[in-house]
Protein backbone atom coordinates (compact mmCIF):
# COMPACT_ATOMS: atom_id res chain seq x y z
CA UNK A 1 0.00 0.00 0.00
CA UNK A 2 1.55 3.30 -1.06
CA UNK A 3 2.10 5.88 1.65
CA UNK A 4 1.39 9.58 1.65
CA UNK A 5 3.29 11.24 -1.17
CA UNK A 6 4.31 14.87 -1.06
CA UNK A 7 5.84 16.80 -3.90
CA UNK A 8 8.14 18.55 -4.29
CA UNK A 9 10.42 17.43 -1.46
CA UNK A 10 12.60 20.51 -1.58
CA UNK A 11 12.11 23.91 -3.08
CA UNK A 12 13.67 27.34 -2.90
CA UNK A 13 11.71 30.50 -3.60
CA UNK A 14 12.27 34.19 -3.21
CA UNK A 15 10.16 36.66 -1.27
CA UNK A 16 7.00 37.67 -3.06
CA UNK A 17 6.72 34.50 -5.11
CA UNK A 18 4.05 31.89 -4.63
CA UNK A 19 4.32 28.16 -4.17
CA UNK A 20 2.04 25.16 -4.57
CA UNK A 21 2.62 21.94 -2.68
CA UNK A 22 0.92 18.66 -3.49
CA UNK A 23 -0.15 15.73 -1.35
CA UNK A 24 -1.48 12.35 -2.44
CA UNK A 25 -3.07 10.47 0.47
CA UNK A 26 -3.16 6.78 1.16
CA UNK A 27 -5.75 5.06 -1.00
CA UNK A 28 -9.09 5.10 0.78
CA UNK A 29 -8.22 8.00 3.07
CA UNK A 30 -10.61 10.89 2.56
CA UNK A 31 -9.12 13.34 5.03
CA UNK A 32 -6.00 15.35 4.33
CA UNK A 33 -4.43 17.70 6.87
CA UNK A 34 -1.57 20.14 6.49
CA UNK A 35 0.88 21.22 9.17
CA UNK A 36 3.72 23.71 9.18
CA UNK A 37 6.76 22.61 11.16
CA UNK A 38 9.41 25.08 12.27
CA UNK A 39 12.09 24.76 14.96
CA UNK A 40 10.60 27.60 16.99
CA UNK A 41 6.88 26.89 16.66
CA UNK A 42 6.74 23.13 16.37
CA UNK A 43 3.84 21.68 14.40
CA UNK A 44 1.16 24.21 13.58
CA UNK A 45 -2.12 23.14 12.04
CA UNK A 46 -2.92 24.77 8.71
CA UNK A 47 -6.14 23.13 7.47
CA UNK A 48 -8.01 19.90 7.07
CA UNK A 49 -10.06 18.70 4.11
CA UNK A 50 -12.54 15.89 3.87
CA UNK A 51 -14.36 15.02 0.65
CA UNK A 52 -13.32 18.33 -0.93
CA UNK A 53 -14.64 20.38 2.01
CA UNK A 54 -12.48 22.33 4.40
CA UNK A 55 -13.60 21.31 7.87
CA UNK A 56 -11.10 23.25 9.93
CA UNK A 57 -8.54 25.97 9.43
CA UNK A 58 -5.67 27.06 11.62
CA UNK A 59 -4.62 30.55 12.55
CA UNK A 60 -2.70 31.47 9.42
CA UNK A 61 -3.07 34.49 7.16
CA UNK A 62 -5.14 34.34 4.01
CA UNK A 63 -1.96 33.90 1.96
CA UNK A 64 -2.19 30.23 2.92
CA UNK A 65 -4.88 28.34 1.06
CA UNK A 66 -5.66 24.82 0.10
CA UNK A 67 -8.03 22.60 -1.73
CA UNK A 68 -8.88 18.97 -2.16
CA UNK A 69 -9.83 17.21 -5.34
CA UNK A 70 -12.40 14.49 -5.91
CA UNK A 71 -9.68 11.82 -5.77
CA UNK A 72 -8.70 13.12 -2.29
CA UNK A 73 -5.42 14.58 -3.49
CA UNK A 74 -4.77 17.95 -1.93
CA UNK A 75 -2.77 21.03 -2.72
CA UNK A 76 -1.79 23.96 -0.59
CA UNK A 77 -0.72 27.32 -1.90
CA UNK A 78 1.21 30.11 -0.27
CA UNK A 79 1.16 33.43 -2.05
CA UNK A 80 3.43 36.45 -1.58
CA UNK A 81 6.03 34.41 0.25
CA UNK A 82 7.78 35.84 3.29
CA UNK A 83 11.02 34.78 4.90
CA UNK A 84 9.04 33.42 7.84
CA UNK A 85 7.28 30.94 5.60
CA UNK A 86 10.46 28.88 5.43
CA UNK A 87 9.46 25.59 7.00
CA UNK A 88 8.78 21.93 6.55
CA UNK A 89 5.22 21.47 5.35
CA UNK A 90 3.77 18.15 6.37
CA UNK A 91 0.73 16.52 4.91
CA UNK A 92 -1.13 13.76 6.72
CA UNK A 93 -4.01 11.61 5.64
CA UNK A 94 -6.55 9.61 7.61
CA UNK A 95 -9.90 7.92 7.26
CA UNK A 96 -11.43 11.11 8.60
CA UNK A 97 -13.74 9.80 11.27
CA UNK A 98 -13.32 12.24 14.12
CA UNK A 99 -14.56 9.92 16.81
CA UNK A 100 -12.78 6.76 15.83
CA UNK A 101 -9.47 5.61 17.20
CA UNK A 102 -8.81 4.45 13.69
CA UNK A 103 -8.42 8.08 12.73
CA UNK A 104 -4.67 7.83 12.95
CA UNK A 105 -2.71 10.33 10.94
CA UNK A 106 -0.25 8.95 8.40
CA UNK A 107 2.30 11.54 7.41
CA UNK A 108 4.19 12.21 4.24
CA UNK A 109 7.90 12.98 4.20
CA UNK A 110 7.22 16.69 3.90
CA UNK A 111 8.09 19.52 1.56
CA UNK A 112 11.00 21.65 2.71
CA UNK A 113 10.42 25.25 1.61
CA UNK A 114 13.21 27.80 1.82
CA UNK A 115 12.35 31.43 1.14
CA UNK A 116 15.27 33.71 0.30
CA UNK B 1 -8.92 25.11 24.73
CA UNK B 2 -7.03 21.88 24.25
CA UNK B 3 -3.32 22.04 24.95
CA UNK B 4 -0.37 19.66 24.94
CA UNK B 5 2.84 20.38 26.83
CA UNK B 6 6.15 18.61 26.57
CA UNK B 7 8.57 20.09 29.07
CA UNK B 8 11.71 18.23 28.02
CA UNK B 9 13.17 19.77 24.85
CA UNK B 10 16.09 17.34 24.74
CA UNK B 11 17.03 14.09 26.38
CA UNK B 12 19.71 11.48 25.96
CA UNK B 13 19.93 7.86 27.01
CA UNK B 14 22.53 5.14 26.77
CA UNK B 15 21.84 2.28 24.43
CA UNK B 16 19.92 -0.54 26.19
CA UNK B 17 18.77 1.76 28.99
CA UNK B 18 15.23 2.97 29.69
CA UNK B 19 14.02 6.52 29.21
CA UNK B 20 10.71 8.26 29.93
CA UNK B 21 9.39 11.22 27.98
CA UNK B 22 6.79 13.42 29.65
CA UNK B 23 3.61 14.92 28.29
CA UNK B 24 0.77 16.75 29.96
CA UNK B 25 -2.40 17.86 28.27
CA UNK B 26 -5.67 19.59 28.84
CA UNK B 27 -9.04 18.79 27.33
CA UNK B 28 -12.67 19.10 28.33
CA UNK B 29 -13.59 15.92 26.47
CA UNK B 30 -14.43 12.85 28.49
CA UNK B 31 -13.44 10.27 25.95
CA UNK B 32 -10.49 10.93 23.71
CA UNK B 33 -7.32 9.44 22.31
CA UNK B 34 -3.72 10.33 22.90
CA UNK B 35 -0.84 9.56 20.61
CA UNK B 36 2.92 9.52 20.55
CA UNK B 37 4.54 10.13 17.19
CA UNK B 38 8.19 9.74 16.31
CA UNK B 39 10.06 11.80 13.72
CA UNK B 40 13.49 10.35 12.93
CA UNK B 41 16.14 12.55 11.33
CA UNK B 42 14.86 11.44 7.89
CA UNK B 43 11.72 13.45 8.81
CA UNK B 44 8.80 11.09 8.18
CA UNK B 45 6.56 11.12 11.22
CA UNK B 46 5.30 7.71 12.31
CA UNK B 47 2.89 6.57 14.99
CA UNK B 48 4.52 5.00 18.02
CA UNK B 49 1.60 4.25 20.29
CA UNK B 50 -1.94 5.37 21.10
CA UNK B 51 -4.10 5.30 24.18
CA UNK B 52 -7.85 5.55 24.49
CA UNK B 53 -8.81 7.57 27.55
CA UNK B 54 -11.55 5.31 28.86
CA UNK B 55 -9.27 2.26 28.90
CA UNK B 56 -7.67 1.71 32.29
CA UNK B 57 -4.86 -0.40 30.94
CA UNK B 58 -1.78 1.40 29.69
CA UNK B 59 -0.99 0.77 26.04
CA UNK B 60 2.11 -1.20 25.12
CA UNK B 61 3.80 -1.74 21.76
CA UNK B 62 6.90 -3.90 22.07
CA UNK B 63 9.55 -1.74 23.81
CA UNK B 64 7.24 1.27 24.00
CA UNK B 65 4.70 1.75 26.76
CA UNK B 66 2.77 4.62 28.24
CA UNK B 67 1.92 5.71 31.73
CA UNK B 68 -1.51 7.28 31.36
CA UNK B 69 -2.79 9.19 34.38
CA UNK B 70 -6.19 10.53 33.36
CA UNK B 71 -6.89 12.52 36.51
CA UNK B 72 -3.51 14.19 36.34
CA UNK B 73 -3.79 14.60 32.56
CA UNK B 74 -0.40 13.06 32.11
CA UNK B 75 0.68 10.79 29.27
CA UNK B 76 4.33 9.74 29.43
CA UNK B 77 6.16 7.45 27.02
CA UNK B 78 8.60 4.85 28.29
CA UNK B 79 11.15 3.36 25.92
CA UNK B 80 12.82 0.23 27.21
CA UNK B 81 16.05 -1.27 25.90
CA UNK B 82 16.76 1.90 23.90
CA UNK B 83 18.26 1.40 20.47
CA UNK B 84 20.21 3.74 18.23
CA UNK B 85 17.25 3.76 15.85
CA UNK B 86 15.13 5.35 18.57
CA UNK B 87 17.03 8.61 18.05
CA UNK B 88 14.32 11.02 16.91
CA UNK B 89 11.96 13.82 17.84
CA UNK B 90 9.00 12.53 19.80
CA UNK B 91 5.68 14.35 19.74
CA UNK B 92 2.75 13.88 22.02
CA UNK B 93 -0.57 14.57 20.27
CA UNK B 94 -4.20 15.08 21.20
CA UNK B 95 -6.89 14.96 18.50
CA UNK B 96 -9.14 18.00 18.42
CA UNK B 97 -11.93 18.94 16.08
CA UNK B 98 -10.67 17.85 12.67
CA UNK B 99 -7.10 18.58 13.72
CA UNK B 100 -4.41 17.35 16.06
CA UNK B 101 -2.72 19.42 18.75
CA UNK B 102 0.94 18.54 19.05
CA UNK B 103 3.38 19.24 21.82
CA UNK B 104 6.62 21.02 20.98
CA UNK B 105 8.48 17.73 20.94
CA UNK B 106 11.34 16.08 22.79
CA UNK B 107 14.54 15.42 20.91
CA UNK B 108 15.85 12.06 22.08
CA UNK B 109 19.39 10.96 21.37
CA UNK B 110 20.42 7.38 22.05
CA UNK B 111 24.13 7.12 22.80
CA UNK B 112 26.25 4.13 21.83
Amino acid sequence: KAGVTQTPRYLIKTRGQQVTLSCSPISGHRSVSWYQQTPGQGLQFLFEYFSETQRNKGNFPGRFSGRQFSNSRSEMNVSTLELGDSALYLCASSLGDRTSGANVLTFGAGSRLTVL
Amino acid sequence: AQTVTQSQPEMSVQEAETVTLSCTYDTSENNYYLFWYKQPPSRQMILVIRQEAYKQQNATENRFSVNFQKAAKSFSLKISDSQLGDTAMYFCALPGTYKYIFGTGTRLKVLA
Side-chain angles (χ1 to χ4, degrees):
Chain A
K1 198 174 189 181
V4 178
T5 304
Q6 290 190 247
T7 56
R9 292 288 307 277
Y10 303 91
L11 64 168
I12 299 173
K13 295 286 187 179
T14 57
R15 279 181 296 175
Q17 288 187 310
Q18 74 165 11
V19 65
T20 299
L21 309 178
S22 179
C23 174
S24 293
I26 287 175
S27 178
H29 283 190
R30 296 167 66 189
S31 169
V32 173
S33 305
W34 290 89
Y35 292 82
Q36 181 195 64
Q37 186 178 14
T38 58
Q41 299 294 321
L43 280 140
Q44 300 293 311
F45 170 74
L46 282 156
F47 19 68
E48 190 264 2
Y49 289 90
F50 181 83
S51 292
E52 302 179 70
T53 299
Q54 186 183 87
R55 297 194 295 188
N56 201 355
K57 186 178 191 303
N59 188 27
F60 278 82
R63 301 184 296 106
F64 291 80
S65 63
R67 58 179 175 169
Q68 186 181 34
F69 303 95
S70 58
N71 61 357
S72 294
R73 190 178 69 86
S74 177
E75 289 181 347
M76 66 163 283
N77 183 277
V78 188
S79 62
T80 319
L81 284 166
E82 300 177 359
L83 295 178
D85 298 332
S86 294
L88 180 66
Y89 290 88
L90 293 171
C91 166
S93 74
S94 72
L95 293 170
D97 180 350
R98 173 181 177 245
T99 59
S100 169
N103 193 31
V104 173
L105 296 182
T106 302
F107 284 86
S111 293
R112 169 74 65 185
L113 170 65
T114 301
V115 182
L116 303 176
Chain B
Q2 293 171 301
T3 60
V4 176
T5 302
Q6 293 179 251
S7 58
Q8 305 153 312
E10 293 187 2
M11 296 187 72
S12 62
V13 62
Q14 289 293 135
E15 202 174 3
E17 297 294 310
T18 295
V19 64
T20 299
L21 310 183
S22 301
C23 172
T24 58
Y25 64 93
D26 194 18
T27 180
S28 58
E29 301 282 338
N30 190 44
N31 191 22
Y32 49 90
Y33 288 82
L34 289 159
F35 298 83
W36 278 98
Y37 280 87
K38 166 185 176 181
Q39 187 179 40
S42 62
R43 299 189 326 217
Q44 190 137 9
M45 193 99 70
I46 56 174
L47 176 69
V48 175
I49 197 167
R50 64 178 162 177
Q51 173 79 42
E52 190 165 4
Y54 81 83
K55 288 188 176 178
Q56 301 278 4
Q57 188 172 7
N58 289 325
T60 299
E61 289 285 345
N62 301 314
R63 299 181 295 104
F64 298 87
S65 62
V66 300
N67 182 4
F68 175 51
Q69 304 287 332
K70 189 174 183 180
K73 294 184 177 176
S74 170
F75 182 59
S76 60
L77 174 70
K78 186 171 85 170
I79 306 174
S80 304
D81 186 26
S82 297
Q83 300 175 359
L84 295 178
D86 296 332
T87 292
M89 281 288 287
Y90 287 82
F91 294 93
C92 179
L94 171 68
T97 304
Y98 307 131
K99 70 175 185 181
Y100 274 51
I101 297 99
F102 287 87
T104 50
T106 296
R107 185 178 304 278
L108 176 67
K109 187 169 185 179
V110 180
L111 306 172

